[in-house]
Amino acid sequence: MSKLILDSGVSRRALIVELVENGVIHSQSDLVKALARKGVKVTQATASRDLEELGAVRGKDATGVFRYQFIANTEVAATTLKNLVLEIDASGNLAVIKTPPGAAQLLAGQLDRAIKNGALAGIGSIAGDDTIMVISKSATGGSALAKAIDRFVSENQSMKRVR
Amino acid sequence: MSKLILDSGVSRRALIVELVENGVIHSQSDLVKALARKGVKVTQATASRDLEELGAVRGKDATGVFRYQFIANTEVAATTLKNLVLEIDASGNLAVIKTPPGAAQLLAGQLDRAIKNGALAGIGSIAGDDTIMVISKSATGGSALAKAIDRFVSENQSMKRVR
DNA sequence: CGATGACTTGCATAAATATACAAACCTAGG
DNA sequence: CCTAGGTTTGTATATTTATGCAAGTCATCG
């Protein structure tokens, strides 16, 4: 059984990623309204900061309408490990991490290093575009591993995004 | 005296493409100045129109600096989900899907949406180039999940993807 | 507790971008 | 030439986005 370990519900940023991917965000005030409808109240200033962190950009689509979207091969602004983690779940021997689009490989590299150092009790990880799976040493260690990862990213605030 | 106005070979837009690709355009007024240095005089309004036309967008780069850049065009031909699924297997808490080369990311996106909607009992997925792993909520749910995915792709024949 | 420091957010405003409109500029046809 | 139609551009302004700063939050440590 899976449980959300980070926020009480889905984090605001995960929500934003979803909204942006659904293509319904045409401006920041759009985003503010969409979030409000989901019960998340923030101002345009925060929307601006979130979109920047997530690497979303505004451009016209095929029909000439402005839309926020994620750039392929994202180059995200310098950020922290914590900012790359949207959600952490666990199941069996796995911890599953959601990231902004394109950031999974990057974060996984850091986690792999932590595993080699012995800072995390995993046997390896695999990353796609926006999801990472970390495999625990123990058959039921996913949940504990998820917590350890949460701690790890909180403690390692500084990281420069490269590429 | 008559003024000689000509674009000798290089059009303004080609020049803009070059400037943007060199990563030296941080704002539209930057572009206006850069063009002026090359002997092309336009205003910010025209810069705005040109950039829009060319599909350039503004976002922060790795060093936290704003930069105009081109977004990759990831348009995919409309197809059906079913056509993208070659094989579904299960093991433990995982369902593993084989797809034609390059289609995994696309299909995974759809599955993720289904997961978010509650249509599939998974906690996330990871896609490579031609393989997707979907993680079940339950430690032994891989097999049931595989069947659910099979049903899902059969029931959702139409899929459209823009941009 | 109470203080401290690191984050986060909103407010107010600056900065940047988009666009309505009018003038300038084509081009083709007579 | 002259005119009528479309296209491009600049001006002025509206719209949208970024950000300095202060206040609020939260965890930590003594």
Side-chain angles (χ1 to χ4, degrees), chain B residues 71-139:
Chain B
I71 59 179
N73 196 342
T74 59
E75 186 148 351
V76 176
T79 183
T80 65
L81 289 187
K82 203 177 178 183
N83 288 337
L84 297 182
V85 177
L86 301 181
E87 217 182 300
I88 308 182
D89 275 341
S91 170
N93 59 342
L94 299 174
V96 180
I97 305 163
K98 284 296 215 172
T99 75
Q105 295 285 345
L106 181 65
L107 178 57
Q110 300 296 116
L111 295 180
D112 277 342
R113 203 157 304 148
I115 289 171
K116 275 174 193 148
N117 294 344
L120 289 176
I123 62 177
S125 73
I126 295 190
D129 183 62
D130 62 2
T131 305
I132 305 170
M133 290 175 37
V134 186
I135 301 91
S136 166
K137 280 183 179 173
S138 119

Side-chain angles (χ1 to χ4, degrees), chain A residues 6-139:
Chain A
L6 283 188
D7 296 16
S8 50
V10 178
S11 79
R12 185 180 75 228
R13 295 212 168 148
L15 201 51
I16 292 175
V17 169
E18 188 185 343
L19 287 166
V20 168
E21 281 181 340
N22 286 345
V24 297
I25 306 301
H26 305 283
S27 69
Q28 294 182 1
S29 66
D30 256 22
L31 178 54
V32 170
K33 285 179 211 152
L35 287 174
R37 257 179 263 120
K38 301 246 180 188
V40 181
K41 284 204 256 185
V42 290
T43 61
Q44 172 265 325
T46 296
S48 171
R49 293 175 183 124
D50 281 344
L51 289 169
E52 178 218 308
E53 276 297 339
L54 295 171
V57 297
R58 190 175 185 246
K60 286 203 175 168
D61 67 7
T63 60
V65 180
F66 276 109
R67 233 181 259 290
Y68 271 95
Q69 57 198 301
F70 294 107
I71 315 183
N73 267 337
T74 321
E75 274 190 29
V76 179
T79 183
T80 65
L81 285 188
K82 201 179 178 183
N83 286 334
L84 297 182
V85 177
L86 300 181
E87 242 179 274
I88 307 181
D89 277 344
S91 169
N93 61 338
L94 300 175
V96 179
I97 305 162
K98 285 296 216 171
T99 75
Q105 296 286 346
L106 180 66
L107 179 57
Q110 301 295 115
L111 294 180
D112 279 342
R113 202 158 307 147
I115 288 171
K116 274 177 193 145
N117 293 343
L120 290 177
I123 60 176
S125 74
I126 174 175
D129 183 62
D130 63 3
T131 305
I132 304 170
M133 287 174 35
V134 186
I135 299 93
S136 165
K137 282 181 177 170
S138 119

Side-chain angles (χ1 to χ4, degrees), chain B residues 12 41-43 45-46 49 60 66:
Chain B
R12 185 181 75 230
K41 285 205 256 184
V42 291
T43 60
T46 297
R49 293 174 184 123
K60 284 201 178 172
F66 277 109

